[in-house]
Amino acid sequence: MEASKKLIQDLKRQPGTSKLVERVVEAITIHETSFFRDIHPFKCMKELVFPGLLERRAKQNSLNIWCAACSSGQEPYTVTLLLKENFPQLQSWNVRFIATDISNQILDRARNGKFSQLEVNRGLPAPLLLKHFEKHGLEWQLKPAIRSSLEFRKLNLIETWPPMPKMDVILLRNVLIYFDVETKRRILGQVRKLLHPDGYLFLGAAEMPMSIDNAFERIDFPRSGCYKLRKL
Ligand SMILES: C[S@@+](CC[C@H](N)C(=O)[O-])C[C@H]1O[C@@H](n2cnc3c(N)ncnc32)[C@H](O)[C@@H]1O
């Protein structure tokens, strides 16, 4: 990945190569994902994170969530289905859910919300499939109300981020592994500023921020990859 990062930097310095840069990005990004991937983070959201946030945000009635490397959408749609099934009171709240990725092609797929049989077989419980998807030929498409509740946008984590609202929950799973320590530190520093002091950060199972940015501490929920900001 170091070599590909250098290649993209070199390409960007050449005039008139933006289309080529985009093609290289599309060719080298790894989009592996699935519904309810690793399951424990979603148990943690259901049992700890959202019950606490709903109580603490009851006056504002608003929640902001950001999925920062959303791939083809299984991850943000998992969170949306989890909220819909378990916290129906959020229907009257102002819930803003932003899902971003560096790849335009994968974002188009995510917006479309269409998945093959193989993809829905990977982690999606059958009752959720039957309730929230429509069958189109050999594929399953999420119903329009679910799809339209998410804002999909292009965002490169290693460039300057556009303004975003303060977040209650940030998912940054299985993407930091591709960056060097300095880049991870910079990204986590920006996450720290964007997260509400009582918000939550979810990282992939193999990603631990403590040695890179000790502002974060692990939540006491087994295998959740969930972190909060240390109290100063
Ligand atoms: C392995 S997938 C992880 C997807 C999902 N978060 C999960 O855990 O299932 C990594 C995603 O990160 C995206 N990605 C890679 N580099 C990125 C960058 N610099 N900025 C934003 N997204 C990036 C890729 O396009 C890919 O969709």
Side-chain angles (χ1 to χ4, degrees):
M1 205 64 186
E2 267 310 285
S4 34
K5 205 174 111 191
K6 173 96 178 36
L7 172 68
I8 291 177
Q9 280 166 356
D10 288 349
L11 271 173
K12 277 186 167 171
R13 281 191 211 106
Q14 311 293 320
T17 53
S18 61
K19 281 263 174 301
L20 186 58
V21 170
E22 189 155 339
R23 278 174 53 204
V24 173
V25 166
E26 298 297 348
I28 63 171
T29 41
I30 296 161
H31 301 303
E32 166 62 16
T33 188
S34 58
F35 289 101
F36 291 91
R37 183 175 186 178
D38 304 332
I39 197 66
H40 304 280
F42 302 100
K43 278 191 181 157
C44 176
M45 286 181 206
K46 180 176 161 187
E47 292 171 22
L48 188 148
V49 166
F50 286 115
L53 280 172
L54 262 70
E55 217 176 286
R56 300 199 294 278
R57 302 285 185 271
K59 274 203 183 117
Q60 304 94 306
N61 277 10
S62 87
L63 268 187
N64 292 323
I65 307 168
W66 177 32
C67 179
C70 67
S71 187
S72 37
Q74 285 90 328
E75 187 174 50
Y77 285 131
T78 295
V79 179
T80 305
L81 294 177
L82 182 147
L83 292 178
K84 207 166 173 58
E85 289 291 311
N86 298 287
F87 306 98
Q89 62 272 47
L90 285 176
Q91 290 227 324
S92 59
W93 283 42
N94 180 18
V95 179
R96 183 138 186 230
F97 198 153
I98 301 174
T100 62
D101 201 281
I102 192 177
S103 157
N104 277 323
Q105 283 178 14
I106 208 73
L107 283 166
D108 282 345
R109 277 209 56 202
R111 267 183 214 105
N112 208 9
K114 258 190 191 167
F115 301 94
S116 68
Q117 189 67 52
L118 201 73
E119 287 171 321
V120 297
N121 285 351
R122 288 186 67 201
L124 187 69
L128 293 187
L129 176 66
L130 297 176
K131 190 166 165 190
H132 298 289
F133 290 69
E134 291 161 345
K135 189 103 202 267
H136 291 285
L138 292 175
E139 293 183 305
W140 294 89
Q141 186 172 34
L142 274 152
K143 291 187 178 168
I146 305 274
R147 282 186 276 137
S148 62
S149 66
L150 284 161
E151 291 171 44
F152 288 102
R153 293 195 208 155
K154 181 169 177 166
L155 186 150
N156 184 348
L157 288 164
I158 62 179
E159 289 181 349
T160 311
W161 300 354
M164 282 190 279
K166 279 265 187 191
M167 293 292 164
D168 298 298
V169 176
I170 298 179
L171 293 97
L172 183 67
R173 300 176 64 220
N174 304 303
V175 65
L176 286 183
I177 36 169
Y178 300 116
F179 304 135
D180 59 37
V181 172
E182 212 25 69
T183 310
K184 286 183 203 187
R185 185 168 290 131
R186 226 179 38 241
I187 293 173
L188 287 171
Q190 283 179 268
V191 165
R192 187 164 10 111
K193 288 187 203 139
L194 196 61
L195 198 61
H196 273 297
D198 65 343
Y200 300 90
L201 167 68
F202 284 86
L203 297 178
E207 298 160 324
M208 278 165 221
M210 281 82 91
S211 56
I212 299 166
D213 188 330
N214 72 3
F216 292 95
E217 63 182 344
R218 192 188 274 272
I219 293 277
D220 188 15
F221 195 104
R223 300 167 68 188
S224 61
C226 181
Y227 297 82
K228 63 177 183 181
L229 287 167
R230 252 180 239 286
K231 290 210 166 60
L232 297 174

